[in-house]
Amino acid sequence: MSIIVMKFGGTSISNLEKIKNISNRIKRELKKNKKVFVVVSAMGKTTDQLIKKFFVVKKDIFNAEYDSVISTGEQLSAGLLAAFLDENKISARSLLGWQIPIITDSFHGKARIIDIPTKFVKKLFKTYDVLVMSGFQGISKCNRITTLGRGGSDTSAVAIAAALKAEICEIYTDVEGIYTADPRKVKKAKKISQITYEEILEMSSLGSKVLEPRSVELAMKYDIKVHVRSSFNNKKGTIVLSEEENLEKALVTGISSSDEDAKITLIGIQDTPGVANKIFSPLASANINVDMIVQNITDDGRLTSLTFTVANSECEKAVKKLKLSDIKFNKIHIDKKISKVSIIGVGMRSHVGVAKKMFETLAKNNINIQVISTSEIKISVLISSGSKKIALNALHKVYGLDKSFD
Ligand code: ADP
Ligand code: ASP
Ligand code: MG
């Protein structure tokens, strides 16, 4: 039995016309004698509206009722699509996460998939040609509905593709594939025909929301072929594959940006061993993820300052933890008007001078770099958010990304 997984994001299933379009795509696959497993997101901006409604009552996303409320959008789209298919003589039924079951941990608001038994799905495929599952949701061992974090339907799709050993996982969205930068932010962004798991993992973790990072981790782990493509036309999109299979080794493959960080500076801390441990331990035990870190040079040999970034949404919690800890500092400074801009490419492994070009370009544009962090295949800089647009476009040009690959 050859199974294909097709995932449709919010904009691709936002009205009846689009449901019809999805059904035509499914029909085409059925003609090729395949079984189709569809994963759907909530229609349009439904999830945002559900979150707003929940927040009127309670502002806590790590809550079982939060998941119970915000997972409902996907139930509606799965039911509507299955009904439409059935009405058009295609044997289909809808499934909620718990009916599969998609078993997750109990970390509400951002649960991780633990297991997906496939017995029931395989049995259903003996009766139905198409199964339509609500993405984004699962069930915990405590028998509660969970959600996988914003954008989590991508993860549902890749996870089910891995469990069912599907031949491909197609991600249908509102752009034609993965671009060299967010096409909404960089006008000259170009579609990339192939990208490695590692590159898109870095890009998505650094702000390119076209794929949810966890979905890429799973695709990489289970070697799932992912095709990101438009739900509005039939053009070939972007294939995500392993580094060995990728023949296009651009020096810089893509540029990402994120406005979701806050910069915290502790001024006047002791410059002695163990201080960093004292600062980061209470943050780690509060589950606060620290990203970029820089320790500044000591002025007088005794006192120094330390700058680091955390997610904007966790900034207040982090500051509170630091103030309650026994770490001594003179002042704490918070800056939320910052953006992280990153260049990503596996070609960086074998080429020198990539960082120099980035810093030179930013300097030429009079953009001050506040913090730098690197990995083997990426360089990220923290800059003021007012300079983001100029930085993105200038870097896009200087690394030759304005030119089309196709
Ligand atoms: P869906 O609802 O289909 O899951 P998303 O909004 O989650 O869609 O992801 C698609 C969006 O990702 C695009 O509209 C685009 O603005 C954004 N995006 C950010 N970075 C990139 C990139 N490098 N390539 C393509 N799209 C990107
Ligand atoms: N509907 C959910 C969200 O908006 C999941 C998804 O679209 O992938 O985050
Ligand atoms: Mg998405």
Side-chain angles (χ1 to χ4, degrees):
M1 179 167 56
S2 176
I3 302 173
I4 165 169
V5 173
M6 302 169 96
K7 179 256 168 181
F8 295 90
T11 38
S12 309
I13 190 167
S14 52
N15 56 41
L16 259 186
E17 197 47 47
K18 289 185 179 165
I19 288 183
K20 202 167 151 190
N21 173 37
I22 294 176
S23 121
N24 288 336
R25 278 185 193 282
I26 294 171
K27 270 192 215 155
R28 252 177 269 152
E29 294 306 322
L30 293 177
K31 277 195 190 133
K32 294 182 209 158
N33 260 335
K34 286 179 189 161
K35 295 281 183 183
V36 182
F37 194 102
V38 183
V39 178
V40 286
S41 290
M43 295 167 91
K45 299 259 174 257
T46 306
T47 311
D48 292 340
Q49 289 154 9
L50 292 168
I51 291 173
K52 261 193 207 143
K53 280 191 182 135
F54 182 81
F55 278 0
V56 173
V57 181
K58 191 173 169 70
K59 250 202 162 81
D60 173 16
I61 77 159
F62 303 113
N63 184 287
E65 301 311 342
Y66 171 82
D67 283 346
S68 161
V69 171
I70 72 155
S71 60
T72 57
E74 272 73 9
Q75 177 165 356
L76 176 65
S77 22
L80 280 179
L81 176 58
F84 187 90
L85 293 168
D86 186 57
E87 194 60 22
N88 287 277
K89 315 257 173 308
I90 297 170
S91 74
R93 71 156 276 182
S94 64
L95 282 159
L96 289 167
W98 66 266
Q99 290 170 310
I100 302 277
I102 306 279
I103 303 169
T104 72
D105 60 19
S106 292
F107 199 70
H108 288 285
K110 217 170 183 350
R112 284 171 78 94
I113 299 173
I114 299 170
D115 191 19
I116 308 182
T118 54
K119 208 169 145 200
F120 184 49
V121 170
K122 285 185 178 150
K123 192 171 148 212
L124 286 177
F125 266 139
K126 292 195 176 127
T127 313
Y128 300 96
D129 289 330
V130 184
L131 298 175
V132 186
M133 181 183 84
S134 305
F136 184 47
Q137 53 176 261
I139 185 155
S140 71
K141 291 231 166 94
C142 315
N143 221 11
R144 303 265 0 210
I145 304 292
T146 52
T147 61
L148 309 177
R150 296 308 306 270
S153 297
D154 294 335
T155 307
S156 311
V158 175
I160 198 79
L164 293 173
K165 300 194 170 42
E167 65 179 75
I168 193 162
C169 179
E170 296 195 316
I171 306 282
Y172 287 88
T173 185
D174 59 356
V175 282
E176 287 184 7
I178 299 170
Y179 283 60
T180 48
D182 186 342
R184 290 181 208 275
K185 296 180 187 153
V186 178
K187 290 254 162 342
K188 290 190 172 162
K190 297 284 180 312
K191 185 170 79 186
I192 304 167
S193 53
Q194 298 186 345
I195 192 166
T196 68
Y197 294 118
E198 276 178 299
E199 286 170 322
I200 187 59
L201 181 58
E202 288 280 14
M203 280 177 74
S204 59
S205 311
L206 294 164
S208 299
K209 294 261 165 75
V210 60
L211 279 179
E212 207 268 332
R214 180 81 186 122
S215 71
V216 187
E217 268 173 33
L218 287 177
M220 185 152 96
K221 184 167 173 195
Y222 295 102
D223 209 10
I224 303 298
K225 191 170 168 194
V226 176
H227 185 182
V228 180
R229 57 191 303 189
S230 168
S231 61
F232 309 130
N233 63 44
N234 290 325
K235 287 187 195 161
K236 192 168 172 263
T238 305
I239 303 285
V240 186
L241 34 67
S242 66
E243 201 172 331
E244 300 80 60
E245 292 169 290
N246 185 24
L247 301 173
E248 290 172 7
K249 288 202 173 63
L251 185 59
V252 171
T253 305
I255 302 184
S256 300
S257 70
S258 161
D259 300 325
E260 285 170 14
D261 303 273
K263 187 180 79 172
I264 300 176
T265 306
L266 287 175
I267 302 160
I269 54 170
Q270 292 292 321
D271 192 13
T272 50
V275 174
N277 179 39
K278 263 194 188 168
I279 294 169
F280 296 122
S281 292
L283 300 183
S285 41
N287 233 338
I288 297 169
N289 194 24
V290 173
D291 181 21
M292 304 170 105
I293 305 173
V294 63
Q295 173 151 0
N296 302 320
I297 297 160
T298 323
D299 284 339
D300 56 4
R302 270 186 327 108
L303 293 182
T304 184
S305 60
L306 189 89
T307 299
F308 56 91
T309 59
V310 296
N312 232 324
S313 55
E314 296 191 319
C315 179
E316 272 70 39
K317 190 169 148 196
V319 170
K320 206 163 147 193
K321 290 278 164 201
L322 290 169
K323 285 186 175 164
L324 287 174
S325 74
D326 57 357
I327 177 90
K328 290 188 182 61
F329 52 87
N330 292 338
K331 237 169 51 188
I332 189 161
H333 184 260
I334 297 156
D335 187 357
K336 290 188 176 180
K337 288 191 185 130
I338 48 156
S339 295
K340 185 165 62 183
V341 172
S342 313
I343 55 169
I344 297 109
V346 285
M348 263 183 230
R349 284 206 184 106
S350 46
H351 288 81
V352 289
V354 185
K356 179 184 168 276
K357 203 179 219 177
M358 182 181 203
F359 304 150
E360 203 173 68
T361 308
L362 296 172
K364 269 188 197 152
N365 285 279
N366 218 4
I367 297 169
N368 185 35
I369 302 173
Q370 303 179 17
V371 187
I372 302 168
S373 80
T374 61
S375 81
E376 238 194 327
I377 63 159
K378 74 116 205 268
I379 304 166
S380 298
V381 293
L382 205 65
I383 58 174
S384 80
S385 28
S387 311
K388 182 180 75 178
K389 201 171 168 195
I390 299 172
L392 279 175
N393 285 284
L395 292 170
H396 199 267
K397 185 171 180 201
V398 84
Y399 288 108
L401 300 178
D402 284 1
K403 292 182 213 125
S404 173
F405 291 136
D406 299 328

